[in-house]
Amino acid sequence: MEAGFYALDITPALGSERPGDYRKAYHTAFHDPLWARAGWYEDEAGAVGVITLDTLNVPRSVCAAIGARVAERTGLDPARLLVCASHTHSGGPLGLGEDDAYAAAPADLRALHADYSVVSDPAYVQRVIAAGADVLAAAQARRETVRLASGLGHEDQVAYNRRFRMRDGTTVSHPQKGNPDIIEPAGPTDPAVGVVGAWSKAGELLGCLVNYTCHATVGCGPGISADWVYYLTETIQAVHPRAVVLFTQGAAGDVTQVDNLHPRPSEFGEAWAQRVGGRVGGEVLKVLASAEPGLEQTVAAATRELRIARRRPAAA
């Protein structure tokens, strides 16, 4: 088994639009850099690639463009490539209309999108596409014989379902703390912390793939940031300084750090980002400490497409 890892900075400029809200917002400060990270895993049967981006999301068109460039640079079939966003709400201006989604809309809706909503920056989109291909090509070039190990940790103290069944029969996202009409959460959380580590022959952790399910909406102050994922990485690299940490976000549509059933103030800001990232990162370290890396590992790829209907608003 061979694997290689690399990271490239994709931090946007100050003044860029900040995604993750419904109104225009701009980055006026910097907290920590944003990264494109990649892992290349290869055995005798073939290779798979993983690219993780500190972005709000990755539109289908961006995935396709990265996949095409990856195929040209590395020979990897795009069907064997996973591209994943951390879903930071403090990222760069990407994921907000690259597919001309509003081209056929009425003029007033096009103006609402362009002038009042956050929109993508075409130059930044192209920068991220290029970085995606560059970072995986660099990971491929750095591949070496590794021993792999995988495991599952458990962290259930920092992520909560934000959607609730209410006494009037509706379901409401964030019905406010202490709302007496709350009956119960309308869905689950996923406390599993998935970990895949890759160690060099000398026993050094080269790369670590982490999967966890929680919105990256904590916020490390007002600045550009990978959100709590920054502290996840810091926690792991405090013990394994050379490791490239690849974070893949779980199905976090209804899962955030806000506990609407707890009376404390809402869980936002620097201290809470440290708590979420530190606890998830600590669980990763526990899994790595108990791992038994082996040389006999295989890689494979499969794709399943899910088509999920939009939640339609009421006419009112």
Side-chain angles (χ1 to χ4, degrees):
M1 166 68 70
E2 292 187 328
F5 304 90
Y6 202 67
L8 286 172
D9 192 319
I10 55 168
T11 306
L14 291 178
S16 298
E17 293 198 36
R18 176 170 58 85
D21 207 341
Y22 297 105
R23 298 181 179 88
K24 287 287 188 190
Y26 299 90
H27 283 301
T28 60
F30 170 84
H31 183 275
D32 59 89
L34 307 181
W35 296 95
R37 297 181 174 96
W40 179 277
Y41 303 85
E42 183 175 350
D43 64 7
E44 294 179 353
V48 295
V50 179
I51 298 171
T52 63
L53 302 170
D54 287 331
T55 60
L56 181 71
N57 59 30
V58 191
R60 183 182 292 265
S61 61
V62 174
C63 285
I66 291 175
R69 293 197 186 191
V70 161
E72 292 176 1
R73 297 281 299 279
T74 71
L76 184 71
D77 182 348
R80 299 177 68 86
L81 172 67
L82 172 67
V83 182
C84 187
S86 65
H87 193 58
T88 175
H89 280 225
S90 301
L94 180 147
L96 301 152
E98 286 78 11
D99 298 305
D100 294 326
Y102 298 91
D108 56 345
L109 293 186
R110 293 200 305 272
L112 180 65
H113 172 246
D115 301 332
Y116 294 93
S117 302
V118 185
V119 297
S120 295
D121 179 347
Y124 185 74
V125 173
Q126 291 303 312
R127 177 184 168 192
V128 172
I129 291 171
D134 289 346
V135 75
L136 189 63
Q140 180 194 38
R142 286 162 175 75
R143 66 190 186 277
E144 60 183 271
T145 299
V146 297
R147 296 176 300 134
L148 292 185
S150 61
L152 282 178
H154 184 90
E155 171 49 58
D156 61 3
Q157 299 297 307
V158 295
Y160 308 90
N161 197 294
R162 67 181 180 179
R163 193 164 57 94
F164 289 85
R165 293 188 178 92
M166 309 299 288
R167 296 190 187 279
D168 63 1
T170 62
T171 58
V172 177
S173 293
H174 289 312
Q176 297 184 345
K177 286 174 174 282
N179 189 323
D181 293 327
I182 290 174
I183 297 177
E184 62 183 358
T189 61
D190 183 359
V193 182
V195 182
V196 180
W199 285 262
S200 70
K201 285 184 176 180
E204 183 178 29
L205 186 70
L206 301 178
C208 181
L209 177 64
V210 179
N211 178 264
Y212 188 66
T213 303
C214 184
H215 256 75
T217 50
V218 190
C220 301
I224 295 167
S225 175
D227 206 84
W228 66 264
V229 180
Y230 167 70
Y231 288 107
L232 163 75
T233 305
E234 291 284 289
T235 299
I236 297 169
Q237 291 181 336
V239 179
H240 303 284
R242 191 183 168 193
V244 175
V245 179
L246 309 173
F247 174 72
T248 61
Q249 180 64 264
D254 288 336
V255 181
T256 79
Q257 81 286 354
V258 177
D259 183 0
N260 284 275
L261 298 178
H262 198 290
R264 66 184 164 225
S266 291
E267 297 84 349
F268 292 96
E270 184 84 25
W272 203 263
Q274 292 179 19
R275 176 171 175 170
V276 178
R279 286 190 65 97
V280 179
E283 196 65 20
V284 172
L285 291 175
K286 287 167 59 179
V287 173
L288 293 173
S290 302
E292 298 181 0
L295 289 170
E296 299 301 322
Q297 302 287 345
T298 59
V299 297
T303 299
R304 180 183 178 190
E305 184 172 290
L306 301 179
R307 291 185 175 271
I308 302 172
R310 292 181 182 271
R311 182 167 58 178
R312 294 184 176 276

